[in-house]
Amino acid sequence: DKVLMELIEPYELRVAKLREFLEDVKPSLRYDIVPLVDPYGPSVTDPDLQCLVVSEETRRGGEAVNKKRLENGLPELALYEILLMKDPDHSQNEEEKISSSSLRQRLLGTLLRPPRQDPALPSRPYVIGLTGGTGSGKTSIAKLLGHLGAFIIDADKLGHAVYVPGGPAYEQVVAAFGAEILNEDGTINRKVLGAKVFANQERLKSLTDIVWPEIARMAKEQIGEAGAQGKAVCVLDAAVLLE
């Protein structure tokens, strides 16, 4: 995503680049660089402004500025439209014009560092944590890595396994939350359990204190299984991996 936080340059660096550009254009130019905290900035409040430079893409924005200035009792600005420079080297997924969005996308991957060797961890299998919210694409990425030969551990499946009768967390959960969370066949009704805990932070913590250590233990067992199978890479797909 072109607005990925890590790819947006700090304000100070952007200002420095703008200042360098202005000095290249005309060293004697007088200018005032101000941070924009809304879409308009000082353009709708400064009575001394006379002209606004726009591109074919931002002309409508310039017209919106003039509408706002008239509402504020200020004269309209002259809109001076410039052409966009084409980028002859843009790739298929980049914008045709020279743009900071394309430049930021080219930074993708440059933030990566080689894996840090930790003598306390076994060298194989190499464990990759895959996390993100619902709908973020974890399952798709896990499948792709699985097709490449990685051993996949689905923490959600482990989470279901700890609740089944005879599972490692079953007795503790029933003891903590009562028999009313059980179905007629003795299985835990996760909807009933969810209704009990998700509106109550203390109860939710009580549940995760029981369940998460068991899921972590099962995940470690699976990592051991991956090693036993000779897998070089193991992927742990977990929505609350960091938590």
Side-chain angles (χ1 to χ4, degrees):
D1 192 321
K2 68 180 185 179
V3 294
L4 189 66
M5 183 185 69
E6 290 83 356
L7 299 184
I8 297 178
E9 292 175 332
Y11 172 73
E12 292 76 16
L13 181 58
R14 293 168 72 95
V15 166
K17 288 184 176 180
L18 177 57
R19 187 174 288 114
E20 182 183 6
F21 168 74
L22 292 170
E23 288 171 354
D24 280 348
V25 171
K26 190 175 183 181
S28 61
L29 198 65
R30 289 177 57 209
Y31 55 83
D32 185 21
I33 300 174
V34 296
L36 301 182
V37 294
D38 63 57
Y40 297 104
S43 66
V44 295
T45 56
D46 189 339
D48 295 328
L49 291 179
Q50 295 174 296
C51 174
L52 190 64
V53 179
V54 297
S55 71
E56 53 193 293
E57 283 186 338
T58 61
R59 184 172 190 92
R60 287 177 64 185
E63 291 167 354
V65 163
N66 274 336
K67 183 179 177 184
K68 205 81 170 172
R69 282 180 69 88
L70 290 174
E71 290 174 6
N72 292 342
L74 296 172
E76 287 186 321
L77 301 176
L79 299 181
Y80 182 80
E81 185 176 316
I82 58 170
L83 297 175
L84 292 169
M85 292 283 288
K86 303 296 182 184
D87 184 353
D89 300 317
H90 74 91
S91 65
Q92 190 174 359
N93 66 325
E94 293 177 344
E95 298 184 11
E96 189 179 351
K97 63 177 181 178
I98 292 177
S99 79
S100 60
S101 299
S102 296
L103 295 178
R104 288 202 296 273
Q105 286 186 344
R106 289 169 199 172
L107 289 173
L108 284 168
T110 62
L111 301 175
L112 294 177
R113 300 287 180 268
R116 179 171 54 87
Q117 294 299 319
D118 187 338
L121 296 174
S123 58
R124 290 171 71 93
Y126 185 75
V127 182
I128 297 173
L130 178 61
T131 192
T134 302
S136 62
K138 293 192 304 302
T139 303
S140 299
I141 295 296
K143 283 181 180 176
L144 286 169
L145 294 171
H147 289 318
L148 292 171
F151 185 97
I152 307 300
I153 301 172
D154 186 338
D156 198 41
K157 288 181 179 177
L158 298 183
H160 281 82
V162 299
Y163 285 106
V164 299
Y170 178 83
E171 296 291 347
Q172 285 180 273
V173 171
V174 174
F177 297 97
E180 62 266 27
I181 66 169
L182 296 177
N183 293 312
E184 289 183 5
D185 62 358
T187 56
I188 292 175
N189 186 318
R190 294 185 62 160
K191 283 188 177 180
V192 174
L193 178 60
K196 273 178 167 282
V197 302
F198 288 124
N200 186 310
Q201 287 298 316
E202 286 185 17
R203 284 187 170 184
L204 181 59
K205 186 178 184 307
S206 296
L207 179 63
T208 55
D209 283 350
I210 296 170
V211 172
W212 282 356
E214 294 299 337
I215 295 175
R217 185 184 57 76
M218 293 172 77
K220 285 176 183 175
E221 287 178 356
Q222 292 271 290
I223 291 169
E225 176 61 26
Q229 291 183 21
K231 293 285 187 177
V233 174
C234 180
V235 176
L236 177 57
D237 173 354
V240 288
L241 177 65
L242 301 178
E243 293 85 346

